[in-house]
Amino acid sequence: MRLRNIPGSREAIASSDFVIHEDVMTKKKGHWNEVFGNSLPIYIEVGMGKGQFITRMASMHPDRNFIGIEKYSSVLIRALEKREQMTDLHNLYFLRMEAEDLPQVFAPGEAAGIYLNFSDPWPKDRHAKRRLPSKEFLARYDQILAPEGRIEFKTDNRDLFKFSLEQAEEAGWTVEQLTWDLHHDPAMMEGNVMTEYEERFSAKGNPIHKVILRR
Ligand code: SAM
């Protein structure tokens, strides 16, 4: 994703009630349901970008809680602008954080599900560990995901998708569902919510790949 510094984004994020701030984030570990004020399951999108997917998911699923994670303020601010138009939503918060720190922020089993959408490909081999579906990241998700929890990964990047399947197998995850062409797979397409990247790449004719992993 091309990044532009957006003046004022840090300040807007710091003063927003929809963002749980860095100084208190780790104190919420094991207590995220108190943040929402209910005991509904918590779903996390890692690398949410501008937040279209998670804001739509939150409005479609009032029986679930959602947390969107994004490492850059200049990107998170775009999600926050969407969120601020939806003040009647009570089931969506954002965290500006690096996904490597997930086990410091969430307790074992605290995430009911994890979404990875169009994660950065990091094409150089020496950067493989930075890919969000790598086995290093799968080990982090393993620490916070509920026993019956699923990881759902979508991308149009064939190499990254193949890599994710290899890594999942190596790390002992089971493929529950898989498609190389989501938009022509009626069963897996049911309830699909498009991300910003998904709209852009499917409009170019790129097939979208999706896998659902469980332990
Ligand atoms: N999920 C969105 C979509 O499908 O439209 C955005 C995709 S964009 C290619 C990937 C996003 O993940 C970027 O906004 C990037 O900053 C964020 N990201 C990448 N690595 C991350 C990490 N380690 N921790 C948190 N966010 C990350």
Side-chain angles (χ1 to χ4, degrees), residues 1 3 45-50 69-72 75 97-100 117-120 122 130 132 137 195-198:
M1 179 173 295
L3 290 174
E45 185 184 9
V46 184
M48 70 166 165
K50 297 178 184 172
I69 285 170
E70 171 54 50
K71 69 177 169 181
Y72 291 119
V75 183
M97 64 173 277
E98 163 53 56
E100 279 184 20
N117 291 319
F118 296 80
S119 307
D120 295 322
W122 292 105
R130 297 185 191 176
L132 292 179
F137 272 100
T195 80
E196 275 98 348
Y197 272 62
E198 185 171 355

mmCIF file of all heavy atoms in Angstrom, residues 1 3 45-50 69-72 75 97-100 117-120 122 130 132 137 195-198, ligand 1:
data_model
loop_
_atom_site.group_PDB
_atom_site.id
_atom_site.type_symbol
_atom_site.label_atom_id
_atom_site.label_comp_id
_atom_site.label_asym_id
_atom_site.label_seq_id
_atom_site.Cartn_x
_atom_site.Cartn_y
_atom_site.Cartn_z
ATOM 1 N N MET A 1 0.851 -1.199 0.000
ATOM 2 C CA MET A 1 0.000 0.000 0.000
ATOM 3 C C MET A 1 0.883 1.243 0.000
ATOM 4 O O MET A 1 1.830 1.326 0.782
ATOM 5 C CB MET A 1 -0.881 -0.033 1.263
ATOM 6 C CG MET A 1 -1.772 1.175 1.362
ATOM 7 S SD MET A 1 -2.958 1.087 2.722
ATOM 8 C CE MET A 1 -3.992 -0.279 2.268
ATOM 9 N N LEU A 3 1.901 4.767 1.000
ATOM 10 C CA LEU A 3 1.576 5.510 2.218
ATOM 11 C C LEU A 3 1.894 6.972 2.055
ATOM 12 O O LEU A 3 2.960 7.336 1.606
ATOM 13 C CB LEU A 3 2.385 4.963 3.393
ATOM 14 C CG LEU A 3 1.968 3.580 3.864
ATOM 15 C CD1 LEU A 3 2.922 3.092 4.924
ATOM 16 C CD2 LEU A 3 0.562 3.610 4.404
ATOM 17 N N GLU A 45 -9.612 -8.395 12.577
ATOM 18 C CA GLU A 45 -8.993 -8.322 11.248
ATOM 19 C C GLU A 45 -7.591 -7.751 11.418
ATOM 20 O O GLU A 45 -7.407 -6.659 11.970
ATOM 21 C CB GLU A 45 -9.775 -7.450 10.262
ATOM 22 C CG GLU A 45 -9.133 -7.531 8.865
ATOM 23 C CD GLU A 45 -9.743 -6.626 7.787
ATOM 24 O OE1 GLU A 45 -10.587 -5.777 8.108
ATOM 25 O OE2 GLU A 45 -9.344 -6.781 6.612
ATOM 26 N N VAL A 46 -6.596 -8.486 10.926
ATOM 27 C CA VAL A 46 -5.203 -8.075 11.059
ATOM 28 C C VAL A 46 -4.776 -7.422 9.731
ATOM 29 O O VAL A 46 -4.817 -8.077 8.686
ATOM 30 C CB VAL A 46 -4.308 -9.305 11.372
ATOM 31 C CG1 VAL A 46 -2.866 -8.855 11.598
ATOM 32 C CG2 VAL A 46 -4.813 -10.055 12.594
ATOM 33 N N GLY A 47 -4.393 -6.145 9.813
ATOM 34 C CA GLY A 47 -4.035 -5.415 8.598
ATOM 35 C C GLY A 47 -5.293 -4.975 7.870
ATOM 36 O O GLY A 47 -5.484 -5.260 6.684
ATOM 37 N N MET A 48 -6.143 -4.241 8.585
ATOM 38 C CA MET A 48 -7.477 -3.920 8.019
ATOM 39 C C MET A 48 -7.417 -2.840 6.942
ATOM 40 O O MET A 48 -8.406 -2.621 6.235
ATOM 41 C CB MET A 48 -8.432 -3.471 9.119
ATOM 42 C CG MET A 48 -8.065 -2.117 9.674
ATOM 43 S SD MET A 48 -9.370 -1.422 10.660
ATOM 44 C CE MET A 48 -8.456 -0.133 11.491
ATOM 45 N N GLY A 49 -6.291 -2.116 6.852
ATOM 46 C CA GLY A 49 -6.230 -1.050 5.856
ATOM 47 C C GLY A 49 -7.274 0.021 6.151
ATOM 48 O O GLY A 49 -7.456 0.450 7.289
ATOM 49 N N LYS A 50 -8.030 0.405 5.124
ATOM 50 C CA LYS A 50 -8.994 1.512 5.264
ATOM 51 C C LYS A 50 -10.340 1.077 5.835
ATOM 52 O O LYS A 50 -11.268 1.881 5.913
ATOM 53 C CB LYS A 50 -9.177 2.205 3.916
ATOM 54 C CG LYS A 50 -7.879 2.836 3.426
ATOM 55 C CD LYS A 50 -8.052 3.493 2.070
ATOM 56 C CE LYS A 50 -6.719 4.027 1.567
ATOM 57 N NZ LYS A 50 -6.823 4.509 0.180
ATOM 58 N N ILE A 69 -7.177 -4.130 13.295
ATOM 59 C CA ILE A 69 -5.791 -3.802 13.634
ATOM 60 C C ILE A 69 -5.063 -3.268 12.407
ATOM 61 O O ILE A 69 -5.154 -3.870 11.321
ATOM 62 C CB ILE A 69 -5.106 -5.078 14.172
ATOM 63 C CG1 ILE A 69 -5.615 -5.326 15.585
ATOM 64 C CG2 ILE A 69 -3.592 -4.987 14.144
ATOM 65 C CD1 ILE A 69 -5.215 -6.641 16.136
ATOM 66 N N GLU A 70 -4.370 -2.175 12.589
ATOM 67 C CA GLU A 70 -3.633 -1.564 11.479
ATOM 68 C C GLU A 70 -2.401 -0.877 12.068
ATOM 69 O O GLU A 70 -2.493 -0.239 13.103
ATOM 70 C CB GLU A 70 -4.536 -0.565 10.748
ATOM 71 C CG GLU A 70 -3.859 0.310 9.720
ATOM 72 C CD GLU A 70 -3.081 -0.448 8.663
ATOM 73 O OE1 GLU A 70 -3.606 -1.384 8.045
ATOM 74 O OE2 GLU A 70 -1.890 -0.106 8.466
ATOM 75 N N LYS A 71 -1.265 -1.046 11.369
ATOM 76 C CA LYS A 71 -0.050 -0.492 11.968
ATOM 77 C C LYS A 71 0.195 0.977 11.622
ATOM 78 O O LYS A 71 0.954 1.642 12.324
ATOM 79 C CB LYS A 71 1.168 -1.351 11.646
ATOM 80 C CG LYS A 71 1.629 -1.363 10.229
ATOM 81 C CD LYS A 71 2.894 -2.212 10.131
ATOM 82 C CE LYS A 71 3.259 -2.485 8.694
ATOM 83 N NZ LYS A 71 4.459 -3.313 8.572
ATOM 84 N N TYR A 72 -0.424 1.494 10.562
ATOM 85 C CA TYR A 72 -0.125 2.874 10.163
ATOM 86 C C TYR A 72 -1.278 3.832 10.466
ATOM 87 O O TYR A 72 -2.422 3.598 10.016
ATOM 88 C CB TYR A 72 0.193 2.944 8.676
ATOM 89 C CG TYR A 72 1.499 2.285 8.333
ATOM 90 C CD1 TYR A 72 1.545 1.208 7.468
ATOM 91 C CD2 TYR A 72 2.700 2.726 8.897
ATOM 92 C CE1 TYR A 72 2.753 0.578 7.159
ATOM 93 C CE2 TYR A 72 3.899 2.109 8.604
ATOM 94 C CZ TYR A 72 3.921 1.042 7.738
ATOM 95 O OH TYR A 72 5.104 0.425 7.444
ATOM 96 N N VAL A 75 -3.242 5.177 7.493
ATOM 97 C CA VAL A 75 -4.226 4.275 6.887
ATOM 98 C C VAL A 75 -5.421 4.137 7.838
ATOM 99 O O VAL A 75 -6.584 4.229 7.426
ATOM 100 C CB VAL A 75 -3.589 2.890 6.608
ATOM 101 C CG1 VAL A 75 -4.586 1.981 5.907
ATOM 102 C CG2 VAL A 75 -2.315 3.028 5.774
ATOM 103 N N MET A 97 -1.584 -0.880 15.919
ATOM 104 C CA MET A 97 -0.524 -1.716 16.494
ATOM 105 C C MET A 97 0.111 -2.600 15.429
ATOM 106 O O MET A 97 -0.446 -2.813 14.357
ATOM 107 C CB MET A 97 -1.072 -2.592 17.633
ATOM 108 C CG MET A 97 -2.111 -3.599 17.197
ATOM 109 S SD MET A 97 -2.576 -4.741 18.531
ATOM 110 C CE MET A 97 -1.229 -5.942 18.406
ATOM 111 N N GLU A 98 1.259 -3.109 15.770
ATOM 112 C CA GLU A 98 2.006 -4.066 14.959
ATOM 113 C C GLU A 98 1.499 -5.469 15.324
ATOM 114 O O GLU A 98 1.440 -5.815 16.512
ATOM 115 C CB GLU A 98 3.493 -3.878 15.284
ATOM 116 C CG GLU A 98 4.415 -4.981 14.878
ATOM 117 C CD GLU A 98 4.299 -5.358 13.421
ATOM 118 O OE1 GLU A 98 4.465 -4.477 12.548
ATOM 119 O OE2 GLU A 98 4.030 -6.536 13.164
ATOM 120 N N ALA A 99 1.132 -6.247 14.317
ATOM 121 C CA ALA A 99 0.522 -7.554 14.571
ATOM 122 C C ALA A 99 1.442 -8.522 15.312
ATOM 123 O O ALA A 99 0.966 -9.466 15.948
ATOM 124 C CB ALA A 99 0.072 -8.168 13.241
ATOM 125 N N GLU A 100 2.745 -8.281 15.262
ATOM 126 C CA GLU A 100 3.663 -9.146 16.027
ATOM 127 C C GLU A 100 3.326 -9.138 17.516
ATOM 128 O O GLU A 100 3.640 -10.072 18.229
ATOM 129 C CB GLU A 100 5.096 -8.618 15.879
ATOM 130 C CG GLU A 100 5.752 -9.052 14.601
ATOM 131 C CD GLU A 100 7.201 -8.579 14.537
ATOM 132 O OE1 GLU A 100 7.796 -8.261 15.587
ATOM 133 O OE2 GLU A 100 7.703 -8.534 13.417
ATOM 134 N N ASN A 117 -6.868 -10.165 5.146
ATOM 135 C CA ASN A 117 -7.366 -9.824 3.814
ATOM 136 C C ASN A 117 -6.299 -9.093 3.017
ATOM 137 O O ASN A 117 -5.829 -8.037 3.430
ATOM 138 C CB ASN A 117 -8.609 -8.945 3.942
ATOM 139 C CG ASN A 117 -9.805 -9.711 4.505
ATOM 140 O OD1 ASN A 117 -10.033 -10.859 4.129
ATOM 141 N ND2 ASN A 117 -10.546 -9.084 5.404
ATOM 142 N N PHE A 118 -5.898 -9.707 1.917
ATOM 143 C CA PHE A 118 -4.972 -9.062 0.978
ATOM 144 C C PHE A 118 -3.724 -8.556 1.693
ATOM 145 O O PHE A 118 -3.295 -7.400 1.520
ATOM 146 C CB PHE A 118 -5.710 -7.970 0.176
ATOM 147 C CG PHE A 118 -6.772 -8.579 -0.673
ATOM 148 C CD1 PHE A 118 -7.996 -8.941 -0.117
ATOM 149 C CD2 PHE A 118 -6.531 -8.875 -1.996
ATOM 150 C CE1 PHE A 118 -8.962 -9.592 -0.884
ATOM 151 C CE2 PHE A 118 -7.493 -9.516 -2.767
ATOM 152 C CZ PHE A 118 -8.709 -9.870 -2.211
ATOM 153 N N SER A 119 -3.159 -9.454 2.487
ATOM 154 C CA SER A 119 -1.961 -9.111 3.259
ATOM 155 C C SER A 119 -0.815 -8.766 2.315
ATOM 156 O O SER A 119 -0.718 -9.300 1.193
ATOM 157 C CB SER A 119 -1.561 -10.307 4.121
ATOM 158 O OG SER A 119 -2.676 -10.727 4.888
ATOM 159 N N ASP A 120 0.070 -7.879 2.802
ATOM 160 C CA ASP A 120 1.219 -7.475 1.983
ATOM 161 C C ASP A 120 2.035 -8.713 1.603
ATOM 162 O O ASP A 120 2.334 -9.544 2.462
ATOM 163 C CB ASP A 120 2.095 -6.493 2.766
ATOM 164 C CG ASP A 120 1.356 -5.183 3.050
ATOM 165 O OD1 ASP A 120 0.605 -4.726 2.167
ATOM 166 O OD2 ASP A 120 1.522 -4.627 4.143
ATOM 167 N N TRP A 122 5.268 -9.143 0.619
ATOM 168 C CA TRP A 122 6.700 -9.223 0.968
ATOM 169 C C TRP A 122 7.396 -10.254 0.078
ATOM 170 O O TRP A 122 7.793 -11.325 0.552
ATOM 171 C CB TRP A 122 6.877 -9.593 2.452
ATOM 172 C CG TRP A 122 6.433 -8.516 3.389
ATOM 173 C CD1 TRP A 122 5.294 -8.506 4.130
ATOM 174 C CD2 TRP A 122 7.118 -7.284 3.702
ATOM 175 N NE1 TRP A 122 5.220 -7.339 4.870
ATOM 176 C CE2 TRP A 122 6.321 -6.587 4.625
ATOM 177 C CE3 TRP A 122 8.330 -6.704 3.268
ATOM 178 C CZ2 TRP A 122 6.677 -5.333 5.132
ATOM 179 C CZ3 TRP A 122 8.681 -5.463 3.789
ATOM 180 C CH2 TRP A 122 7.851 -4.803 4.702
ATOM 181 N N ARG A 130 7.736 -11.726 7.579
ATOM 182 C CA ARG A 130 6.858 -10.563 7.760
ATOM 183 C C ARG A 130 5.481 -10.783 7.167
ATOM 184 O O ARG A 130 4.570 -9.990 7.388
ATOM 185 C CB ARG A 130 7.465 -9.330 7.081
ATOM 186 C CG ARG A 130 8.790 -8.929 7.678
ATOM 187 C CD ARG A 130 9.243 -7.644 7.017
ATOM 188 N NE ARG A 130 10.619 -7.341 7.367
ATOM 189 C CZ ARG A 130 11.301 -6.327 6.889
ATOM 190 N NH1 ARG A 130 10.734 -5.503 6.028
ATOM 191 N NH2 ARG A 130 12.544 -6.113 7.249
ATOM 192 N N LEU A 132 1.876 -11.934 6.755
ATOM 193 C CA LEU A 132 0.913 -12.218 7.832
ATOM 194 C C LEU A 132 0.410 -13.670 7.850
ATOM 195 O O LEU A 132 0.013 -14.141 8.908
ATOM 196 C CB LEU A 132 -0.254 -11.219 7.798
ATOM 197 C CG LEU A 132 0.123 -9.773 8.163
ATOM 198 C CD1 LEU A 132 -1.107 -8.858 8.076
ATOM 199 C CD2 LEU A 132 0.742 -9.661 9.555
ATOM 200 N N PHE A 137 3.676 -15.930 12.053
ATOM 201 C CA PHE A 137 2.427 -15.255 12.457
ATOM 202 C C PHE A 137 1.363 -16.272 12.852
ATOM 203 O O PHE A 137 0.601 -16.023 13.796
ATOM 204 C CB PHE A 137 1.934 -14.305 11.357
ATOM 205 C CG PHE A 137 2.542 -12.933 11.487
ATOM 206 C CD1 PHE A 137 3.619 -12.544 10.706
ATOM 207 C CD2 PHE A 137 2.055 -12.034 12.422
ATOM 208 C CE1 PHE A 137 4.201 -11.281 10.851
ATOM 209 C CE2 PHE A 137 2.620 -10.775 12.580
ATOM 210 C CZ PHE A 137 3.699 -10.395 11.797
ATOM 211 N N THR A 195 -13.394 -6.406 0.511
ATOM 212 C CA THR A 195 -12.456 -5.428 1.064
ATOM 213 C C THR A 195 -12.157 -4.403 -0.047
ATOM 214 O O THR A 195 -12.505 -4.620 -1.215
ATOM 215 C CB THR A 195 -11.143 -6.102 1.510
ATOM 216 O OG1 THR A 195 -10.316 -6.310 0.369
ATOM 217 C CG2 THR A 195 -11.396 -7.432 2.207
ATOM 218 N N GLU A 196 -11.461 -3.328 0.327
ATOM 219 C CA GLU A 196 -11.082 -2.341 -0.700
ATOM 220 C C GLU A 196 -10.226 -2.993 -1.785
ATOM 221 O O GLU A 196 -10.438 -2.792 -2.974
ATOM 222 C CB GLU A 196 -10.293 -1.180 -0.078
ATOM 223 C CG GLU A 196 -11.149 -0.077 0.513
ATOM 224 C CD GLU A 196 -11.337 -0.194 2.017
ATOM 225 O OE1 GLU A 196 -10.991 -1.262 2.584
ATOM 226 O OE2 GLU A 196 -11.839 0.771 2.627
ATOM 227 N N TYR A 197 -9.236 -3.789 -1.354
ATOM 228 C CA TYR A 197 -8.342 -4.442 -2.322
ATOM 229 C C TYR A 197 -9.091 -5.458 -3.179
ATOM 230 O O TYR A 197 -8.813 -5.609 -4.363
ATOM 231 C CB TYR A 197 -7.167 -5.106 -1.593
ATOM 232 C CG TYR A 197 -5.995 -4.180 -1.391
ATOM 233 C CD1 TYR A 197 -6.129 -3.025 -0.624
ATOM 234 C CD2 TYR A 197 -4.763 -4.440 -1.961
ATOM 235 C CE1 TYR A 197 -5.064 -2.158 -0.434
ATOM 236 C CE2 TYR A 197 -3.686 -3.582 -1.784
ATOM 237 C CZ TYR A 197 -3.846 -2.451 -1.019
ATOM 238 O OH TYR A 197 -2.786 -1.593 -0.833
ATOM 239 N N GLU A 198 -10.013 -6.159 -2.553
ATOM 240 C CA GLU A 198 -10.791 -7.170 -3.287
ATOM 241 C C GLU A 198 -11.592 -6.500 -4.401
ATOM 242 O O GLU A 198 -11.647 -7.011 -5.527
ATOM 243 C CB GLU A 198 -11.722 -7.886 -2.300
ATOM 244 C CG GLU A 198 -12.504 -9.036 -2.891
ATOM 245 C CD GLU A 198 -13.233 -9.824 -1.805
ATOM 246 O OE1 GLU A 198 -13.057 -9.532 -0.606
ATOM 247 O OE2 GLU A 198 -13.985 -10.745 -2.172
HETATM 248 N N1 SAM B 1 -7.167 -5.608 4.355
HETATM 249 C C1 SAM B 1 -7.272 -4.436 3.511
HETATM 250 C C2 SAM B 1 -7.915 -4.783 2.195
HETATM 251 O O1 SAM B 1 -8.031 -5.967 1.880
HETATM 252 O O2 SAM B 1 -8.346 -3.870 1.477
HETATM 253 C C3 SAM B 1 -5.886 -3.783 3.317
HETATM 254 C C4 SAM B 1 -4.863 -4.555 2.550
HETATM 255 S S1 SAM B 1 -3.280 -3.775 2.543
HETATM 256 C C5 SAM B 1 -2.431 -4.551 1.248
HETATM 257 C C6 SAM B 1 -2.474 -4.485 3.960
HETATM 258 C C7 SAM B 1 -2.631 -3.666 5.221
HETATM 259 O O3 SAM B 1 -2.068 -4.399 6.307
HETATM 260 C C8 SAM B 1 -1.875 -2.336 5.178
HETATM 261 O O4 SAM B 1 -2.736 -1.287 5.576
HETATM 262 C C9 SAM B 1 -0.723 -2.538 6.162
HETATM 263 O O5 SAM B 1 -0.326 -1.339 6.785
HETATM 264 C C10 SAM B 1 -1.312 -3.529 7.130
HETATM 265 N N2 SAM B 1 -0.282 -4.359 7.780
HETATM 266 C C11 SAM B 1 0.680 -5.058 7.146
HETATM 267 N N3 SAM B 1 1.476 -5.690 8.025
HETATM 268 C C12 SAM B 1 0.972 -5.390 9.264
HETATM 269 C C13 SAM B 1 1.380 -5.734 10.569
HETATM 270 N N4 SAM B 1 2.447 -6.517 10.766
HETATM 271 N N5 SAM B 1 0.666 -5.253 11.605
HETATM 272 C C14 SAM B 1 -0.416 -4.455 11.395
HETATM 273 N N6 SAM B 1 -0.839 -4.081 10.165
HETATM 274 C C15 SAM B 1 -0.159 -4.546 9.101
#
